[in-house]
């Protein structure tokens, strides 16, 4: 069945804004979606006095929703301060497009996450934020990763939906209990794979075990 896209999604997909290279970018980030393997790059130029984003460009190796969300979020970010732009989450980009099919919400998450990462890099390189500690396998670091896993039926984070019941860590083995409320094995398979993709690259992880109840 064909997915239903709004007119605005199709407009941004057919005529994306701010797409292309940015030579001499002040900061740049590339990220991929474990849900589909697509990738996006965001580059920003920042006025060091006002800390406003003066220019932003993206390159997408993703689907129509990803291109449309990246296009709209770059439009929304331009002229904003870093602080303001950081608050532009995937939900506001999806809303600006008039909504996205639930199974495509992760595409907007990818665009928003990559922009946030470019901003974070700028802040770290300019002493505006403390460099993040690499590694450190804790319940918090696992939970942070799980925030990027969406329930494909409704396009909301499994953390926000309170589906994560327990995170246990022992000798690099991460045990995650998920409350599903859906008995379709395909559904648990998709969520399980996405959880594993998100968590397995955290430093110190030897194995990820997901249980569903
Ligand atoms: Fe991959 Fe949309 S399906 S970013």
């Amino acid at each position: 069945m064909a997915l239903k896209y709004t007119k605005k999604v199709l407009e941004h997909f057919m005529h994306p804004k701010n797409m292309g290279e940015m030579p001499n970018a002040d900061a740049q980030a590339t990220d991929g979606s474990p849900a589909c393997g697509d990738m996006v790059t965001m580059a920003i130029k920042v006025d060091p006095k006002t800390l406003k984003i003066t220019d932003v460009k993206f390159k997408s190796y993703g689907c129509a929703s990803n291109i449309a969300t990246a296009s709209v979020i770059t439009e929304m970010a331009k002229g904003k301060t870093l602080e303001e732009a950081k608050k532009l989450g995937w939900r506001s980009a999806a809303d600006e497009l008039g909504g996205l099919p639930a199974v495509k919400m992760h595409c907007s998450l990818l665009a928003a996450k990559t922009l946030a990462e470019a901003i974070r890099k700028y802040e770290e390189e300019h002493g505006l934020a403390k460099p993040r500690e690499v590694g450190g396998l804790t319940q918090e670091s696992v939970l942070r990763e799980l925030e990027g896993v969406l329930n494909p039926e409704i396009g909301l984070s499994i953390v926000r939906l309170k589906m994560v019941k327990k995170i246990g860590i022992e000798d690099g083995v991460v045990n995650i209990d998920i409350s599903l409320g859906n008995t379709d094995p395909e559904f648990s398979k998709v969520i399980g794979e996405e959880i594993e993709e998100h968590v397995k690259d955290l430093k110190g992880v030897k194995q990820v075990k997901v249980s569903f109840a």
Side-chain angles (χ1 to χ4, degrees):
M1 192 178 64
L3 290 172
K4 228 173 158 9
Y5 288 116
T6 64
K7 211 169 144 219
K8 205 157 173 192
V9 171
L10 296 174
E11 259 170 43
H12 275 274
F13 169 55
M14 304 292 280
H15 309 285
K17 307 273 190 339
N18 309 310
M19 190 167 71
E21 299 279 345
M22 184 189 286
N24 309 323
D26 289 325
Q28 166 164 322
T30 299
D31 207 346
S33 167
C36 64
D38 291 346
M39 298 188 70
V40 69
T41 296
M42 289 274 177
I44 54 172
K45 196 121 198 92
V46 180
D47 179 331
K49 288 201 185 77
T50 60
L51 294 182
K52 280 189 179 170
I53 296 178
T54 54
D55 199 8
V56 47
K57 287 260 187 298
F58 80 94
K59 282 188 292 180
S60 170
Y61 315 92
C63 69
S65 309
N66 184 247
I67 292 170
T69 331
S71 169
V72 85
I73 208 166
T74 51
E75 283 288 274
M76 291 163 84
K78 222 189 262 184
K80 290 212 166 44
T81 63
L82 296 176
E83 281 306 315
E84 289 164 345
K86 273 196 281 189
K87 293 185 191 128
L88 292 173
W90 61 274
R91 174 61 76 181
S92 55
D95 287 350
E96 185 68 22
L97 289 168
L100 284 170
V103 289
K104 290 284 173 182
M105 285 297 185
H106 76 268
C107 321
S108 60
L109 184 78
L110 175 60
K113 211 171 95 191
T114 313
L115 176 63
E117 182 60 26
I119 293 173
R120 177 77 196 192
K121 278 194 180 168
Y122 180 90
E123 290 181 328
E124 286 181 9
E125 280 162 19
H126 291 79
L128 301 167
K130 269 210 225 140
R132 285 158 292 186
E133 281 182 27
V134 183
L137 178 58
T138 61
Q139 287 187 329
E140 287 71 37
S141 63
V142 173
L143 199 63
R144 260 200 307 278
E145 285 303 317
L146 295 180
E147 271 164 15
V149 178
L150 303 185
N151 175 331
E153 271 187 333
I154 42 180
L156 286 177
S157 160
I158 60 169
V159 174
R160 198 165 148 202
L161 291 168
K162 302 199 186 333
M163 291 168 67
V164 183
K165 291 300 163 201
K166 205 168 132 201
I167 299 170
I169 301 168
E170 211 180 320
D171 291 336
V173 179
V174 183
N175 287 290
I176 302 168
D177 290 358
I178 299 291
S179 151
L180 261 198
N182 181 326
T183 48
D184 180 352
E186 191 55 29
F187 186 72
S188 51
K189 186 170 166 263
V190 170
I191 292 207
E193 283 173 0
E194 217 190 318
I195 289 174
E196 196 178 335
E197 276 296 322
H198 271 81
V199 177
K200 75 176 176 22
D201 291 334
L202 281 172
K203 203 171 169 198
V205 172
K206 291 186 195 141
Q207 199 185 357
V208 183
K209 290 184 182 169
V210 187
S211 317
F212 298 100

